[in-house]
Amino acid sequence: MVDVPRELVQYVSRLLAAERRTRGTRTGARALTCFRQALMVLVWFRKGEDVALLGAGFGISRATAYRYLAEGITVLTTQAEDLHTALRRVADDGWSHVILDGKLFDCDRLTETTLSVKGETIDAWYSGKHRDFGANIQAVARPDGLPIWTSPAMPGHLHDLTCAQTLGVTAALNWAATELDLPTLADSGYEGAGQGIKTPVKQNTDGSRLAPDNRFYNRLLRSLRWQGERGFAILIGRWRTLRHTTASPRRIGDIVTAALHLTVNIQVVREE
């Protein structure tokens, strides 16, 4: 039993069936039907079960379970919109702005190293800010908190602004502000991100109090941004596997994107 709508299982099943037709898979050649494979994928997302134990529960080997799971993630990821399309849709729906936020998704420790800005050898996937290993994921959300797009995974040692610039997120948001009249609200970690990306005014270095207009601006920004920053909480609260993954951290971006697509489809099912 898994507490997701049956319509969602059927939707994922149809995606898997289309994938099998594309690959030319013969009828009866797979250990699981499309429906049961979809169910296995959703159990993993919803409960974060160990893949080997999950495979045993469905009567398949560990290797087959990993292969079926990877296939399920892939078919879901390919359904996701690119950022420009998602921004156009938000503007067409009449929303006034979007929210930009980043999060470190927890993963196991890796041996991959890189050089810091000071030239020192550091763990590529270790975040000094969070004091944990993980992948940095950027997300753009509607004002009501529902994410519309999530990014590929970036090494955890990188800051949010660096990730957003490297992935072209800031450039897309600058375009949206100019062409779609769709500004972006973000926290102070994105200061200097460019036109249309609104960040708080930082405190004075001498410790003096901000001017009244700057304090009011920050208060207004917080009041508009807080709900949009629920986006990651919506995903993690619904899909337990996002709380910690033993998969390659470079795959975390695909896993989060797949989880977002599932979340959006649950919203559609409920509205219908």
Side-chain angles (χ1 to χ4, degrees):
M1 298 293 293
V2 60
D3 53 345
V4 298
R6 184 179 181 84
E7 292 82 0
L8 185 64
V9 185
Q10 293 170 334
Y11 171 73
V12 178
S13 178
R14 289 194 294 272
L15 295 179
L16 292 169
E19 177 68 14
R20 292 187 186 187
R21 286 193 298 271
T22 301
R23 296 186 180 191
T25 304
R26 299 188 309 275
T27 303
R30 294 291 193 97
L32 295 180
T33 64
C34 293
F35 186 88
R36 285 184 61 78
Q37 183 182 354
L39 187 61
M40 188 197 80
V41 170
L42 288 170
V43 169
W44 182 78
F45 270 101
R46 186 71 180 92
K47 298 186 176 182
E49 299 280 6
D50 178 81
V51 179
L53 292 176
L54 186 60
F58 280 83
I60 57 178
S61 69
R62 181 174 182 269
T64 302
Y66 272 102
R67 188 170 68 251
Y68 282 8
L69 179 60
E71 187 178 62
I73 293 170
T74 299
V75 299
L76 288 167
T77 303
T78 54
Q79 305 302 310
E81 296 178 328
D82 63 80
L83 181 53
H84 283 80
T85 301
L87 290 170
R88 285 193 186 94
R89 180 166 50 80
V90 169
D92 291 342
D93 289 343
W95 295 99
S96 60
H97 62 275
V98 292
I99 313 293
L100 173 63
D101 197 15
K103 178 175 173 57
L104 188 79
F105 279 79
D106 188 53
C107 70
D108 287 347
R109 181 172 184 172
L110 300 177
T111 57
E112 184 179 347
T113 58
T114 189
L115 292 178
S116 69
V117 292
K118 297 180 180 180
E120 301 173 349
T121 301
I122 60 173
D123 289 302
W125 297 88
Y126 181 78
S127 169
K129 175 183 176 181
H130 300 89
R131 298 184 180 181
D132 198 5
F133 290 86
N136 186 303
I137 301 292
Q138 300 293 301
V140 178
R142 299 186 323 198
D144 65 350
L146 182 67
I148 62 168
W149 179 85
T150 57
S151 75
M154 295 291 285
H157 78 278
L158 297 174
H159 296 290
D160 284 337
L161 179 58
T162 302
C163 293
Q165 291 175 332
T166 302
L167 294 169
V169 179
T170 52
L173 295 175
N174 296 154
W175 166 83
T178 303
E179 299 296 329
L180 305 177
D181 194 23
L182 188 70
T184 300
L185 309 185
D187 60 34
S188 57
Y190 295 94
E191 184 180 21
Q195 178 182 354
I197 301 179
K198 312 297 183 182
T199 59
V201 178
K202 290 187 175 180
Q203 295 295 325
N204 298 318
T205 56
D206 60 3
S208 60
R209 197 176 187 190
L210 288 175
D213 56 342
N214 287 336
R215 294 202 306 272
F216 178 79
Y217 171 82
N218 286 352
R219 190 177 302 115
L220 177 62
L221 197 63
R222 284 195 301 270
S223 68
L224 293 173
R225 199 182 71 232
W226 72 269
Q227 191 166 359
E229 292 187 339
R230 294 172 51 242
F232 284 122
I234 291 172
L235 296 179
I236 293 174
R238 185 178 300 279
W239 310 110
R240 190 172 299 175
T241 196
L242 299 182
R243 299 176 190 178
H244 177 83
T245 179
T246 57
S248 167
R250 298 192 184 279
R251 287 283 287 164
I252 293 177
D254 289 341
I255 294 170
V256 176
T257 299
L260 172 58
H261 189 66
L262 291 172
T263 303
V264 171
N265 273 275
I266 285 180
Q267 295 288 110
V268 172
V269 168
R270 287 179 174 175
E271 289 174 1
E272 292 178 349

